[in-house]
Amino acid sequence: MKKIIIGNWKMNPRTSREAEGWFSAVAKAVASIKKIEVVICAPFVFLSPLKKISKKIILGAQDSFIGDVGPFTGEISPEMLYGLGVRYVIFGHSERRELGETNELINKKIKSALSSGIVPVICVGERERDLDHGYFDIVKTQINECLKGVSKDAISKIIVAYEPVWSISSTKNRRDATADDAREMAVFIRKVLSDLSSPDIAHKTRVLYGGSVNERDAEEYLSNGGVHGLLVGKASLSTKKFSDIIKICETLGK
Ligand code: PGA
């Protein structure tokens, strides 16, 4: 299974010109990449110009709505995104959950994305770590509710990104998660996926880690975190740091 590095630009940068500059710089750096997949999830408005720059970087988005077309003011459908070349969409990010997005809504969005040929990147993760290990139940509930009614076959196509909120760069007083933290949860996530589908299917589902990953700790998470790749926020805003992370992943290979 190919490893994958996904950059989440969040609401950055300010202008299309800047976005095109970043994308071109990363495209140059990944020109010789062969073993891994590289995705950049950019704001909707930049997707079209970015598509023209490089085929090597796969385009991703940070949300999409339910259905394909209709009276939904302000929303963008997965079908529209697919038409622009988008192949991955992030769902359930903690910053969107913070704005009121529920597992129920995420579930509908995931199903809609799947039917449009988009690969959902589903973010799960606890806000805090409690001594009773209740965070395992939190993640289990998130997965079960977000994937309710999703076919077993589709489960092998999705990506689950473990992003403990306490480690994300935008969290106040954040802490680093260790590769052990990531591995322990990756094993647990696979077990939950296996219960929902089968061990075989769960084995094919890619599980990522995300939360303040940078060019200094990427190797550690990739080598010892039990994951198939990384979801990178802040460090993806630096073309140098993001390119370094991509190269580290390529060097480690499959
Ligand atoms: P971060 O973001 O790398 O800036 O912590 C990761 C994410 O929120 O997807």
Side-chain angles (χ1 to χ4, degrees):
M1 204 178 332
K2 271 193 174 177
K3 286 211 168 72
I4 185 166
I5 300 291
I6 304 180
N8 175 13
W9 281 1
K10 308 191 181 184
M11 199 171 71
N12 295 286
R14 285 173 193 273
T15 65
S16 188
R17 207 190 156 122
E18 231 180 315
E20 289 166 55
W22 288 4
F23 203 82
S24 304
V26 177
K28 244 186 228 156
V30 304
S32 59
I33 297 294
K34 290 197 176 64
K35 296 185 205 136
I36 66 164
E37 273 181 89
V38 178
V39 180
I40 288 183
C41 297
F44 294 132
V45 290
F46 302 145
L47 294 169
S48 243
L50 296 186
K51 193 193 169 189
K52 299 188 186 96
I53 296 174
S54 161
K55 286 205 176 72
K56 197 86 190 236
I57 305 173
I58 307 167
L59 275 187
Q62 300 165 19
D63 187 28
S64 63
F65 199 58
I66 304 153
D68 41 21
V69 69
F72 302 105
T73 304
E75 299 295 349
I76 291 176
S77 76
E79 188 183 284
M80 291 169 184
L81 293 172
Y82 191 91
L84 280 184
V86 169
R87 295 296 177 265
Y88 292 88
V89 173
I90 298 172
F91 293 105
H93 193 283
S94 58
E95 288 154 11
R96 294 201 60 80
R97 291 179 188 268
E98 191 66 29
L99 295 172
E101 196 153 295
T102 60
N103 290 332
E104 200 188 351
L105 180 58
I106 295 164
N107 174 254
K108 288 184 185 151
K109 289 182 172 183
I110 288 170
K111 286 179 182 160
S112 181
L114 281 166
S115 64
S116 296
I118 298 263
V119 176
V121 179
I122 305 159
C123 298
V124 296
E126 73 282 2
R127 305 199 65 76
E128 307 281 350
R129 283 226 157 171
D130 57 309
L131 293 174
D132 299 330
H133 298 90
Y135 49 90
F136 285 111
D137 279 340
I138 291 170
V139 169
K140 185 177 177 177
T141 304
Q142 286 174 337
I143 296 175
N144 284 338
E145 292 185 1
C146 288
L147 293 181
K148 195 169 170 202
V150 171
S151 75
K152 291 183 182 184
D153 263 4
I155 289 179
S156 67
K157 296 191 187 93
I158 62 163
I159 292 179
V160 178
Y162 173 51
E163 294 211 320
V165 183
W166 47 269
S167 79
I168 289 178
S169 65
S170 53
T171 301
K172 223 174 148 202
N173 301 324
R174 61 160 301 281
R175 295 180 287 118
D176 275 335
T178 63
D180 281 348
D181 294 331
R183 195 180 56 242
E184 184 185 46
M185 191 56 90
V187 170
F188 179 74
I189 287 171
R190 266 186 217 109
K191 169 79 175 89
V192 175
L193 292 171
S194 167
D195 290 346
L196 274 176
S197 55
S198 72
D200 249 22
I201 288 172
H203 189 70
K204 287 186 202 140
T205 310
R206 285 186 284 191
V207 179
L208 314 187
Y209 171 74
S212 302
V213 173
N214 59 49
E215 72 290 4
R216 295 182 306 278
D217 56 22
E219 182 171 356
E220 169 69 2
Y221 287 121
L222 287 167
S223 304
N224 301 319
V227 290
H228 301 99
L230 303 167
L231 180 54
V232 185
K234 198 171 178 188
S236 74
L237 307 183
S238 151
T239 55
K240 165 87 174 75
K241 289 181 184 173
F242 192 56
S243 304
D244 284 351
I245 294 170
I246 292 166
K247 285 176 197 153
I248 289 165
C249 188
E250 170 81 359
T251 308
L252 294 171
K254 284 193 178 179

